[in-house]
Amino acid sequence: MSLIFKNSFNQLPKQFYSKIEPEKTNRPKKVLINNSLCNDLNVDYNYLDTEEGINILSGNLIHKDSDPLAMVYAGHQFGNWVPQLGDGRAHLLGEVLDREGNKYDLQLKGSGRTPYSRGGDGKAWLGPVIREYVVSEYMHNIHIPTTRSLSAVLTGDNVYREETYPGAVLCRVARSHIRVGTFQYFYSRKDTKSLKILADYFIKHHFPNLEKNENKYFELFKNVVDGQINLVTSWMKVGFIHGVMNTDNTSISCETIDYGPCAFIDNYKSDKVFSSIDSMGRYCYKNQPNILMWNIACFASTLVPLLEGTEEKKVDILQKEISSIPEKYKNKWLLEFSKKIGLKKIYPENEVLINRFLEILESENLDFTNSFRALIKEVESSNELISKTDTFKSWKNDWKKLIKKKSNQKEVCKTITSNNPAFIMRNHLVEKIIQELLTDKKDTLNKALECIEKPFEKIKHYEKMYVGPTKEQEVLRTFCGT
Ligand code: AMP
Ligand code: MG
């Protein structure tokens, strides 16, 4: 079987999208095709890896079953309302079904201008395309819900930013590309009919068991609340900073979407920001749970016209659900961070212990991932390894007492190992991969792809892939993926 597209989104009324084909490219050339994702999606890798396949993945050729379109949406960007955004550099090619029958969107990104491009050129260059490919695939392999990357293809055309770069196209795979901003688009136009069509479409494809439920829209809301709490907690757990948590980048299917200026923390700093455009630190590490709540509140507003009852009652039930977020988040966070220090359950002592550990990392400028991971060695060692300070000594003492009381060494080590990846797709590695690719080298990329496949293990002889950046390698600023 080569590639079979379904098209359910284009059955929706025309106010949901603009039908538009990707721009033709000069000389498409494969950089990466994702074999394991092909397998999950029941797509034939060997077909994609032909001239015809590469032409489809670059947007040059339209598959016979594909009916490309750009989706419309709106959104709050850095808190400012933008009434119309939309896929300005992306084309939805259609949908494929995986082996279990789940629907996935295939979307090209960097595939040319659309009616929503505003001033942009609709293009992407190789850097952001590769960044999205490796980081999203890494996220998937550490079990964080995310859009995935089926391919990265060079277009053979130049893209002009501060400099001239090789143009590229990513094929992004998502459960859905519907965002909070898609709901906001119709809500802000008081188009309740379209809003209902949108919610019903989403429920039909993602929560079919809710279709007959009397409170289906409120149930949808509760599911999104839980999904977003799960998502943001999983980011916090690995020190991931998304960087642009705008409502147009907040997926209703609760997948990590839009890998622009994102990065993982090396040395822990709770207010860490990488993005060059986030000057106020709105989307800094520690603020991500607050922004989650802000974005959910935006989503809640859009559902008011769809719920039954008086205005007061509707607002009241939504508000109650929103008010439950901090406690739900806190419990999830506590459980996940407990696992990071080797405990599978929440005990009364855990919270203080976790926070004390984080304070040590911050005040002693220690690496987030590697320090948690090093707890495996601390379990067995009578000397302190992570730090020699008295504060750490005293922490270790209290921690060891607790794990001894509640568990055993073997279990603790197992829990730490499976909850703290050995490999982190660090920003300086991403930069190295990109710089090498610009001179046709793939050494770091190939190593990274191997590490991405087994992120909880250390591959022999790849020591450099597991350490934090040197002072010179440190990436201080990241940029939006345009
Ligand atoms: P983002 O910050 O990546 O979520 O993008 C915000 C909006 O800008 C979306 O509507 C994008 O489609 C649009 N956009 C970003 N880069 C480009 C580009 N190079 N050309 C056209 N539109 C773009
Ligand atoms: Mg976006």
Side-chain angles (χ1 to χ4, degrees), residues 266-316:
D266 298 305
N267 287 358
Y268 181 63
K269 241 178 132 284
S270 60
D271 60 355
K272 183 79 191 162
V273 177
F274 287 103
S275 170
S276 59
I277 52 172
D278 191 5
S279 52
M280 305 292 282
R282 180 181 168 92
Y283 300 139
C284 74
Y285 176 75
K286 70 173 176 194
N287 214 21
Q288 295 188 121
N290 299 327
I291 295 295
L292 144 79
M293 195 151 143
W294 201 92
N295 290 346
I296 287 291
C298 289
F299 181 46
S301 309
T302 71
L303 294 179
V304 173
L306 300 183
L307 300 184
E308 301 284 338
T310 62
E311 203 71 6
E312 204 182 348
K313 196 176 147 227
K314 295 194 276 190
V315 171
D316 190 50

Side-chain angles (χ1 to χ4, degrees), residues 15 185-196:
Q15 64 271 26
Y185 177 81
F186 294 111
Y187 171 73
S188 66
R189 282 163 178 73
K190 300 192 171 49
D191 184 353
T192 306
K193 201 171 147 204
S194 299
L195 204 53
K196 188 171 176 316

Side-chain angles (χ1 to χ4, degrees), residues 419-468:
N419 283 280
N420 296 291
F423 179 69
I424 284 276
M425 195 60 255
R426 295 175 191 269
N427 219 356
H428 73 283
L429 290 176
V430 176
E431 287 301 325
K432 191 158 181 235
I433 291 171
I434 296 168
Q435 290 313 316
E436 285 182 7
L437 277 177
L438 288 176
T439 52
D440 254 345
K441 291 197 198 85
K442 281 191 169 180
D443 184 50
T444 309
L445 173 64
N446 289 336
K447 280 187 181 146
L449 291 172
E450 273 185 68
C451 295
I452 286 170
E453 252 178 58
K454 294 181 183 144
F456 293 94
E457 294 169 28
K458 276 194 177 167
I459 301 176
K460 258 194 187 158
H461 312 305
Y462 281 11
E463 288 80 11
K464 282 191 185 152
M465 301 299 285
Y466 300 96
V467 291

Side-chain angles (χ1 to χ4, degrees), residues 142-158:
I142 54 167
H143 319 302
I144 294 183
T146 177
T147 63
R148 296 191 63 187
S149 301
L150 184 63
S151 59
V153 172
L154 281 163
T155 58
D157 299 313
N158 283 332

Side-chain angles (χ1 to χ4, degrees), residues 73 77 86 89 109 172 179 244 246 248-250 257-258:
Y73 48 85
Q77 297 186 310
R89 51 169 163 168
K109 196 171 166 188
R172 172 160 78 177
R179 308 130 194 270
V244 258
N246 294 332
D248 54 306
N249 293 334
T250 304
I257 189 168
D258 257 358

Side-chain angles (χ1 to χ4, degrees), residues 363-401:
S363 63
E364 299 184 24
N365 208 22
L366 297 170
D367 189 88
F368 181 80
T369 299
N370 290 354
S371 301
F372 273 103
R373 181 90 184 178
L375 290 174
I376 302 168
K377 289 194 182 127
E378 294 282 6
V379 176
E380 286 150 13
S381 161
S382 50
N383 298 326
E384 282 73 38
L385 306 166
I386 294 173
S387 155
K388 303 287 177 209
T389 60
D390 289 343
T391 328
F392 181 68
K393 222 176 239 182
S394 134
W395 182 88
K396 182 171 170 181
N397 207 10
D398 295 344
W399 172 64
K400 277 199 114 166
K401 264 195 236 153

